[in-house]
Structure formats: C-alpha cells, structure tokens
Amino acid sequence: MKVLNVVAMALLSLVSGSALAATAEKIEKPNIVVILADDLGYADVGFNGSKDIVTPNLDKLANQGMMFSEAYTAHPFCGPSRAALMTGRYPHKIGSQFNLPVRGSFLGVPTEEKFVSKMLQESGYFTGAVGKWHLGEAPEFHPNRRGFDEFYGFLGGGHNYFPEQYKKVYERQVANGVTNFDHYIMPLEHNGKEVDENEYITDALSREGANFVRKAVDTGKPFFLYLAYNAPHVPLQAKQEDMDEFPDIKDKKRKTYAGMVYAMDRGVGKLVDTLEETGQLDNTLIVFFSDNGGKLQFGANNYPLKEGKGSVYEGGFRTPMVMHWPKQLKAGSKFEHPVKALDLFPTFAGLAGAELEQESRLDGKNIFPFLQSGDAPHKDELIFALRHRGSYSDAAVRRNEWKAVKVGEGVPWRLFNIEKDKGEEENLADKHPVMLRDMVREMEKWSWDNQQPRWFHIHEEGSLWRQHGMPRFDKTFATD
C-alpha cells in the first residue's frame, strides 16, 4: 500500500510539473520591439510593391512574418500620431491634435495619460526608447519619466543627420550666446545627459537599438524597445554609399530619400541580427510601421493611395506594416483587414498579462486573437481621421469597405468603396446617401468629447483657431 502511495505521489508530481510547465510556456511574456519610420511612403518598401527602393531586411521580416495591407495611424502628422501610439487614445481626446511648438515649450502629452511604456514597465519589462521623442521636452514629459528605463535620442520633432555638419552650427550659435536652438542641431542625449554623437544619425540609432537589446538580455527581464527613426523625414540627407545603391534613380530628391530608407533598412537588419545572436528572436514580437504617410514633395511614393502626409485620404494615414514573431505568427501570411496603431497598446497589454485600469477609454482593442484566427478585428466599427486646418477641418471615417471623406472648406462629403477603390476616385455619395449620412453622424457623435488643443505648432495656427472659432464642427458635419 505504501509503495502504491509513493507511486501515486510521483505520478501526481509529474502531472503537476507538466501542467505548471505548460502554463509557464503559455504565459511567457514576449519581448516587444516597435520600429517606427518617420514619413515613410506606403509604396517605399519592397514588401509593399516598391519598384526602385530595395529593403531586403524589411522584406525578410515580412516574408517570415505577417504583412498588413490596411494599417492606419491615428493622425496624418508626426506628433499626434505618436501621442496616440503611446496612450492608445485618439490625440483629439487628450488635446494633442497638433505638433508641439516648433522651437521648444514646457508642454507635452498630459502626464495623467499612462504611456504603453509605463504599463509594460509595471508589468515587469525592461524598457527603452531610442530616437525621436516629440512628446514633450520639459522634465515631467521626459521619456525616463514616462516609463522608459533607457532613452537615447532627441526630444524634438526631428534632427539633422550628419554630426560633422550640425555640430559646427550648434557650437557657433552657443559661442554667439544663442539659447533658443533649432531642435535639428542640438546634441543627442542619453538619459538626460548630452552625448557626443559622431555617426550618421540613422546608423547611430540602429547601434543604440542593438546595444539596448544586449543590455536588456543581461537584466533577465522581458524587454520593450521603441526604436523611432527620424528617417526618411526631412532634411533629405543620405550617405553617398547608400545613394549609390540606386544608380537608376535620377531624381535627386527620390535618390536621397531612397538612401535614407536603405540606411534604416540596414539598421533593422542589424537589430534582428542582435536579437538572433542573443537568442531572443523567436520570442520577440517585432512591429514595423510608419507614423504617417510619405511626403510626396520630398521623394515619397504612396501608390496606389491618394495624397500623402497631412491628408485624410488614404495616403495620409495608411502605412506599410509588418509583424514578426516566429513563435506565434505564420510566416508569409497577410492580414487584409483594417487595424489601427491604437490597437497596439491593448494588444501589448494582453501579451504582457497587464490589467488596464483605463481600458474603457482606450480607442483600440487587443487584436492578437484576430491575427491568429484571421477574423476582422474592427468589423462594423469606425476608424476616424481628423486634421484641423486654419478655418476648417478635413475629416474621414471608415466602416468596413466604406469610407466617407470631407476635404476642403464648403465642399460636400464624398463616399468611396475603399476595398475596390484604394485611390478614392469614384464618389458613390449619390448612390448611398443614407449610409453616408449615418457614417457622418457617427463621426459627429465621436467628436463631442474631443478636447480643445493644448498647443499649436506655431502661433499663427493658434491665432487662426481663435479667429475662426474653431473647430466649427457644425460645418464639418453638415451633410445638406
């Protein structure tokens, strides 16, 4: 009898151990890496159909992961788009619908809004931000105060690329007593302390991204890396050897832009190599996309989408996107339903096992189960884009295959079947007036708790806002 009890206990221990191991495997937290391009065109990566710009490392991620054909950011401009990514909320709901003031301020995304980085940090992640911040420069808005253990980069909305050029300008201005600097020439920093950076900025950010991974592995914690390149955002500045990769591109802007994209792609390859070398690649979710559409006048190509950065047509806020996670996502798969950058906050929370106290206020959802099932995460739901101009607002709302758009002052709303008409050419408003009116009314309802802007990019924007009694939503949502 005693022998039987011993055997029974041994079997029970074995079964319990197996169950615990299975549970541990099931809840293992993945590393999360977000790679954000700046003003990258929809058609400027190989996996999205680029004919002239080659992106071998991004294409490899796409071929070994999941590509998204209908990925939307929350705004067609840099700052508001990034505020949405960090908070999981439309920027209009928190007063962040304009870029921060161009030459510095004491303003930033409200501290009462918990960033995705803080949520992951509280969930046991080692967190790092590398590159462009653009979410506030005052101490309380600094990355190290918003949930990032490590920060290497610059706080403003952009930066020049060649240190040997911008450092001379900065030093000359310091010598002349200047205290209000163009952000594009200021020294980079590491955790609040200036650093003497000497590499082409894109290469420097790639280097620091890889360095963060090595440091994170040593902590023994799962990690979150936010690698925010400023490429290919202006100024158009590329290394000659990168431009030489594109001898068939004759247009100077396009050639320089191509070199900038190529440098970013090379950096992505370096980061992936580091993940592989450290044994982290298989359990790392990599997400790559752009903060908004490409800027056409500076070399970008958003084909077949209409217009570009700043527009509520598809070219303004629909971007190339890839997710790569060997353990969980099928290689070579394509997700052809709409997803939002706003979905990343709740998706990451779900993967990290975090409880979200602000879940009811988030404007996205955990899409990971949908990625695995192939179902549409936003079926019958609404996706919004709203860009304020001097005396009016451009607006767009998408539901399933339909998209309603109003661009310009005093013009009627238009309706497109976005699945059949990516270029938004055939206006179907007259054929479906009831549907159009319903979608516009739904967006009007969404707008009622939008906040007044907390800041403007330049004073003239604020002056026009007040002068014209903006946002004038009675005009925006008029359908008669």
Side-chain angles (χ1 to χ4, degrees):
M1 194 70 172
K2 193 172 181 181
V3 173
L4 284 173
N5 283 340
V6 170
V7 171
M9 289 296 289
L11 284 170
L12 183 61
S13 174
L14 224 97
V15 170
S16 300
S18 300
L20 284 171
T23 303
E25 185 178 351
K26 185 179 179 184
I27 64 171
E28 183 184 4
K29 296 176 181 179
N31 307 311
I32 298 170
V33 173
V34 172
I35 305 171
L36 190 66
D38 197 342
D39 293 2
L40 178 67
Y42 188 78
D44 288 331
V45 286
F47 68 82
N48 242 23
S50 174
K51 303 296 184 188
D52 55 352
I53 298 179
V54 294
T55 52
N57 294 294
L58 287 169
D59 295 352
K60 185 177 179 181
L61 279 183
N63 292 333
Q64 296 178 353
M66 179 177 284
M67 192 189 90
F68 294 76
S69 60
E70 301 182 21
Y72 291 94
T73 59
H75 196 280
F77 272 160
C78 305
S81 174
R82 290 157 197 266
L85 172 62
M86 285 293 147
T87 63
R89 305 190 68 197
Y90 278 105
H92 316 78
K93 303 300 178 185
I94 56 176
S96 302
Q97 57 270 66
F98 284 90
N99 279 342
L100 279 159
V102 66
R103 289 190 73 92
S105 70
F106 297 102
L107 301 163
V109 177
T111 54
E112 60 265 27
E113 297 295 332
K114 181 180 285 190
F115 277 17
V116 64
S117 45
K118 190 67 175 176
M119 176 272 293
L120 290 171
Q121 191 180 56
E122 291 174 351
S123 300
Y125 277 69
F126 185 66
T127 57
V130 174
K132 172 174 169 175
W133 184 237
H134 208 196
L135 296 166
E137 301 146 49
E140 65 266 34
F141 304 119
H142 192 276
N144 293 141
R145 298 280 290 273
R146 303 306 294 262
F148 286 105
D149 297 303
E150 290 283 323
F151 172 64
Y152 189 101
F154 48 93
L155 297 176
H159 210 281
N160 285 10
Y161 291 82
F162 289 106
E164 62 270 26
Q165 296 174 5
Y166 70 74
K167 283 161 74 170
K168 289 178 183 176
V169 178
Y170 177 75
E171 289 162 5
R172 189 162 57 245
Q173 291 189 10
V174 169
N176 288 331
V178 173
T179 57
N180 186 268
F181 299 98
D182 179 354
H183 288 143
Y184 284 60
I185 64 167
M186 291 178 67
L188 272 64
E189 65 159 87
H190 178 216
N191 293 341
K193 296 182 179 179
E194 288 186 6
V195 295
D196 184 21
E197 181 55 70
N198 293 298
E199 277 197 88
Y200 178 71
I201 290 299
T202 301
D203 292 339
L205 300 182
S206 300
R207 180 198 71 222
E208 292 302 318
N211 285 344
F212 171 81
V213 169
R214 295 188 192 97
K215 186 171 186 176
V217 170
D218 289 342
T219 68
K221 295 180 178 181
F223 57 83
F224 170 56
L225 170 62
Y226 171 55
L227 176 53
Y229 286 107
N230 55 319
H233 190 290
V234 293
L236 293 178
Q237 296 175 351
K239 294 165 75 174
Q240 187 60 50
E241 58 262 40
D242 290 334
M243 290 189 287
D244 289 345
E245 294 289 329
F246 306 96
D248 295 332
I249 298 179
K250 304 305 178 187
D251 180 82
K252 186 178 179 182
K253 287 182 180 178
R254 180 70 176 168
K255 193 181 190 76
T256 309
Y257 175 94
M260 296 168 78
V261 173
Y262 190 74
M264 179 179 64
D265 180 81
R266 179 176 60 248
V268 171
K270 180 175 183 175
L271 179 63
V272 172
D273 287 346
T274 305
L275 289 167
E276 195 158 24
E277 289 162 10
T278 53
Q280 301 299 309
L281 184 61
D282 282 351
N283 196 40
T284 297
L285 169 62
I286 301 173
V287 185
F288 172 85
F289 64 110
S290 179
D291 61 347
N292 45 247
K295 201 161 186 176
L296 301 179
Q297 62 266 50
F298 292 115
N301 177 14
N302 295 313
Y303 181 84
L305 309 181
K306 189 170 186 175
E307 296 192 357
K309 179 180 180 176
S311 174
V312 299
Y313 284 117
E314 294 289 282
F317 68 114
R318 180 167 165 178
T319 88
M321 184 174 181
V322 165
M323 286 190 183
H324 179 277
W325 186 7
K327 273 193 174 183
Q328 298 289 348
L329 296 176
K330 184 180 177 183
S333 54
K334 189 172 183 179
F335 198 76
E336 300 190 88
H337 304 294
V339 297
K340 305 184 289 186
L342 290 162
D343 295 325
L344 295 179
F345 193 125
T347 299
F348 295 167
L351 295 173
E355 290 188 14
L356 297 176
E357 67 266 20
Q358 78 272 46
E359 189 166 16
S360 61
R361 297 190 301 152
L362 294 179
D363 292 308
K365 64 170 59 171
N366 182 354
I367 61 170
F368 199 73
F370 296 91
L371 304 186
Q372 295 187 308
S373 70
D375 296 326
H378 297 294
K379 182 175 170 58
D380 300 328
E381 297 174 3
L382 300 157
I383 296 173
F384 304 104
L386 181 64
R387 187 261 170 101
H388 300 304
R389 296 186 183 271
S391 58
Y392 64 94
S393 300
D394 291 339
V397 51
R398 176 171 177 174
R399 183 171 63 196
N400 299 329
E401 72 269 35
W402 298 101
K403 183 182 175 188
V405 182
K406 182 182 176 72
V407 172
E409 190 167 18
V411 298
W413 281 84
R414 285 173 276 186
L415 183 70
F416 304 100
N417 184 320
I418 210 66
E419 296 287 359
K420 297 179 179 177
D421 180 20
K422 290 183 178 67
E424 296 168 281
E425 299 295 337
E426 186 182 3
N427 181 14
L428 302 174
D430 291 341
K431 292 183 178 179
H432 304 281
V434 175
M435 183 190 301
L436 173 62
R437 192 175 299 112
D438 181 65
M439 291 174 69
V440 174
R441 290 288 167 265
E442 286 290 339
M443 187 171 187
E444 182 178 24
K445 182 170 71 174
W446 168 83
S447 76
W448 275 107
D449 64 345
N450 286 3
Q451 301 297 302
Q452 283 286 310
R454 292 172 178 264
W455 58 74
F456 299 91
H457 191 46
I458 54 175
H459 281 299
E460 286 79 2
E461 280 183 336
S463 177
L464 287 170
W465 183 275
R466 290 180 282 272
Q467 180 183 334
H468 293 286
M470 289 290 284
R472 299 177 70 196
F473 282 152
D474 58 324
K475 303 291 185 184
T476 304
F477 301 112
T479 54
D480 300 325

